[in-house]
Amino acid sequence: MIRYSQHHFKYIQCIYVCVFVCVHLTSGNSCCCSFEDYKLTTEWLLNQTSHRPKVAVICGSGLGLLADGAANKQIFRYQDIPNFPVSTVQGHEGCLVFGTIEDTPCVFMQGHFHLYEGYSLCKVTFPVRIFKLMGVETLLVTNASGGICPDFKVGDIMIIKDHINLPGFAGQHPLCGPNDERFGIRFPCMSDAYSKDLRRVALDIGSELGCSDFIREGVYCMVSGPNFETIAEARMLLILGCDSVGMSTVPEVTVAKHCGLRVIGLSLITNKVSLDYSREEKVNHDEVLEIGKMRAEVLQKLVTTLISRCQQQSINTH
Ligand code: HPA
């Protein structure tokens, strides 16, 4: 009979823990959806609606009202769409809204999915691939973020120029796992994730609308959340070159770029991230939603004008 020493037990315990951790890390990491899952959802939606969207809009926290301006709306609750994840956060509604903005067929996501809710990144980005398979050409993402750049003010709208995928550096990346060539290549370029042409159009619209004072361009950094940043973390992000920080968007943009969508991103600065130990104010989610309401009207005008110009641009460049 083999005799196990205390040392043996410790060793076996360690192996157990390592295997457990590895299984958990990798299971949260590679794609949990097959091409057939994407196809099934796409076909279900195409059978349920006659809308054929060209532009998809992801509405960020408290920005769900962006869909209100659409005509001929048809609304699906996420829970009724096969394979669709369901949003769990207050201020994130959970509906897919089809409609048209000045003749441009669109689809709006009212509510989106976050890493901190416990979804895999494959689920977080699931809708983007559905949009691609439905024929969408442009993805417009909006979000709420905290201002890191000291010049930024609450209520500023930042056109996203570039991003930092902080969870991606730690292996939490939506394209980890086997690559499906039907969507895109193994090593996609990300140096031009946010369309330069659309950023210029957004800046022009901002100035036409008289918003130049509070329209900025900058680098968005994704953190996993759910806690807001410590002061030391915020200082690190500033040194890294981030202008704002939030808990979303980057996985969806990465997957969109991988499958060849044009992307434009708008980030509403809902709070200033504290970089100073002597500052007393504390950020909270209600503040984020409140600033969203304050800027809802101007954001809606910006988004609707952008959508119609996106389409004109796309017609001109094809
Ligand atoms: N940090 C992270 N995410 C956010 C913030 C913030 O300060 N504000 C809105 N979303």
Short mmCIF file of all heavy atoms in Angstrom, two decimals, residues 144-147 223 227-229 245-247 268 270-273 283 288, ligand 1:
data_model
loop_
_atom_site.label_atom_id
_atom_site.label_comp_id
_atom_site.label_asym_id
_atom_site.label_seq_id
_atom_site.Cartn_x
_atom_site.Cartn_y
_atom_site.Cartn_z
N ALA A 144 -20.84 55.62 -21.32
CA ALA A 144 -20.57 56.61 -20.28
C ALA A 144 -19.18 56.31 -19.77
O ALA A 144 -18.81 55.14 -19.63
CB ALA A 144 -21.58 56.45 -19.16
N SER A 145 -18.41 57.34 -19.51
CA SER A 145 -17.08 57.08 -18.96
C SER A 145 -16.66 58.17 -17.99
O SER A 145 -17.26 59.25 -17.95
CB SER A 145 -16.05 56.93 -20.09
OG SER A 145 -15.88 58.13 -20.78
N GLY A 146 -15.65 57.86 -17.24
CA GLY A 146 -15.10 58.82 -16.28
C GLY A 146 -13.95 59.56 -16.93
O GLY A 146 -13.09 58.94 -17.58
N GLY A 147 -13.91 60.87 -16.78
CA GLY A 147 -12.84 61.67 -17.39
C GLY A 147 -11.55 61.54 -16.61
O GLY A 147 -11.51 61.76 -15.39
N VAL A 223 -11.78 49.03 -18.33
CA VAL A 223 -11.44 48.22 -17.15
C VAL A 223 -12.60 47.27 -16.94
O VAL A 223 -13.70 47.51 -17.45
CB VAL A 223 -11.23 49.11 -15.90
CG1 VAL A 223 -9.97 49.96 -16.02
CG2 VAL A 223 -12.44 50.01 -15.65
N ASN A 227 -16.06 47.88 -9.64
CA ASN A 227 -15.79 49.06 -8.80
C ASN A 227 -15.20 50.18 -9.66
O ASN A 227 -14.57 49.93 -10.69
CB ASN A 227 -14.84 48.72 -7.64
CG ASN A 227 -13.45 48.34 -8.12
OD1 ASN A 227 -13.23 47.21 -8.54
ND2 ASN A 227 -12.51 49.26 -8.08
N PHE A 228 -15.47 51.42 -9.25
CA PHE A 228 -14.80 52.55 -9.88
C PHE A 228 -13.33 52.53 -9.42
O PHE A 228 -12.99 51.86 -8.43
CB PHE A 228 -15.51 53.85 -9.50
CG PHE A 228 -16.91 53.95 -10.08
CD1 PHE A 228 -18.04 53.80 -9.27
CD2 PHE A 228 -17.10 54.20 -11.44
CE1 PHE A 228 -19.32 53.90 -9.81
CE2 PHE A 228 -18.37 54.29 -11.98
CZ PHE A 228 -19.50 54.14 -11.16
N GLU A 229 -12.50 53.28 -10.09
CA GLU A 229 -11.06 53.19 -9.89
C GLU A 229 -10.60 53.75 -8.55
O GLU A 229 -11.18 54.70 -8.03
CB GLU A 229 -10.31 53.97 -11.00
CG GLU A 229 -10.53 53.44 -12.38
CD GLU A 229 -11.97 53.55 -12.85
OE1 GLU A 229 -12.59 54.59 -12.63
OE2 GLU A 229 -12.48 52.56 -13.40
N VAL A 245 -12.18 56.52 -18.89
CA VAL A 245 -12.20 55.10 -18.48
C VAL A 245 -13.64 54.63 -18.30
O VAL A 245 -14.48 55.37 -17.77
CB VAL A 245 -11.37 54.88 -17.20
CG1 VAL A 245 -11.86 55.73 -16.04
CG2 VAL A 245 -11.35 53.42 -16.78
N GLY A 246 -13.91 53.42 -18.77
CA GLY A 246 -15.24 52.84 -18.62
C GLY A 246 -15.16 51.33 -18.59
O GLY A 246 -14.07 50.76 -18.66
N MET A 247 -16.34 50.71 -18.49
CA MET A 247 -16.37 49.26 -18.28
C MET A 247 -16.97 48.50 -19.46
O MET A 247 -17.53 47.43 -19.29
CB MET A 247 -17.16 48.95 -17.00
CG MET A 247 -16.63 49.64 -15.76
SD MET A 247 -17.71 49.41 -14.36
CE MET A 247 -17.10 50.67 -13.23
N LEU A 268 -19.72 59.66 -23.34
CA LEU A 268 -20.18 60.80 -22.55
C LEU A 268 -19.44 60.81 -21.21
O LEU A 268 -19.46 59.82 -20.48
CB LEU A 268 -21.70 60.68 -22.33
CG LEU A 268 -22.34 61.73 -21.43
CD1 LEU A 268 -22.18 63.13 -22.04
CD2 LEU A 268 -23.82 61.42 -21.22
N THR A 270 -19.31 61.34 -17.73
CA THR A 270 -20.36 61.50 -16.71
C THR A 270 -19.80 61.91 -15.35
O THR A 270 -20.56 62.27 -14.45
CB THR A 270 -21.15 60.19 -16.55
OG1 THR A 270 -20.22 59.14 -16.30
CG2 THR A 270 -21.98 59.88 -17.77
N ASN A 271 -18.50 61.79 -15.18
CA ASN A 271 -17.88 62.16 -13.90
C ASN A 271 -16.39 62.36 -14.12
O ASN A 271 -15.86 61.90 -15.13
CB ASN A 271 -18.10 61.04 -12.86
CG ASN A 271 -17.56 59.71 -13.35
OD1 ASN A 271 -18.16 59.05 -14.20
ND2 ASN A 271 -16.41 59.31 -12.82
N LYS A 272 -15.78 63.07 -13.22
CA LYS A 272 -14.32 63.21 -13.29
C LYS A 272 -13.73 62.17 -12.35
O LYS A 272 -14.18 62.04 -11.22
CB LYS A 272 -13.91 64.62 -12.84
CG LYS A 272 -14.37 65.63 -13.84
CD LYS A 272 -13.49 66.81 -14.11
CE LYS A 272 -12.05 66.82 -13.84
NZ LYS A 272 -11.24 67.29 -14.97
N VAL A 273 -12.78 61.42 -12.86
CA VAL A 273 -12.17 60.40 -12.02
C VAL A 273 -11.18 61.09 -11.09
O VAL A 273 -10.39 61.93 -11.51
CB VAL A 273 -11.44 59.35 -12.90
CG1 VAL A 273 -10.71 58.34 -12.04
CG2 VAL A 273 -12.44 58.66 -13.81
N VAL A 283 -17.69 59.12 -6.84
CA VAL A 283 -18.50 58.80 -8.01
C VAL A 283 -19.52 57.70 -7.64
O VAL A 283 -19.25 56.86 -6.79
CB VAL A 283 -17.61 58.33 -9.19
CG1 VAL A 283 -16.76 57.16 -8.82
CG2 VAL A 283 -18.44 58.02 -10.42
N VAL A 288 -23.89 58.88 -12.98
CA VAL A 288 -23.64 58.50 -14.37
C VAL A 288 -24.95 58.59 -15.17
O VAL A 288 -25.01 59.15 -16.27
CB VAL A 288 -23.05 57.05 -14.42
CG1 VAL A 288 -23.01 56.50 -15.83
CG2 VAL A 288 -21.66 57.03 -13.79
N1 HPA B 1 -14.94 54.58 -14.16
C1 HPA B 1 -15.30 53.47 -14.83
N2 HPA B 1 -16.42 53.40 -15.54
C2 HPA B 1 -17.21 54.47 -15.58
C3 HPA B 1 -16.90 55.66 -14.90
C4 HPA B 1 -15.70 55.71 -14.15
O1 HPA B 1 -15.35 56.71 -13.51
N3 HPA B 1 -17.89 56.54 -15.15
C5 HPA B 1 -18.78 55.92 -15.96
N4 HPA B 1 -18.38 54.67 -16.22
#
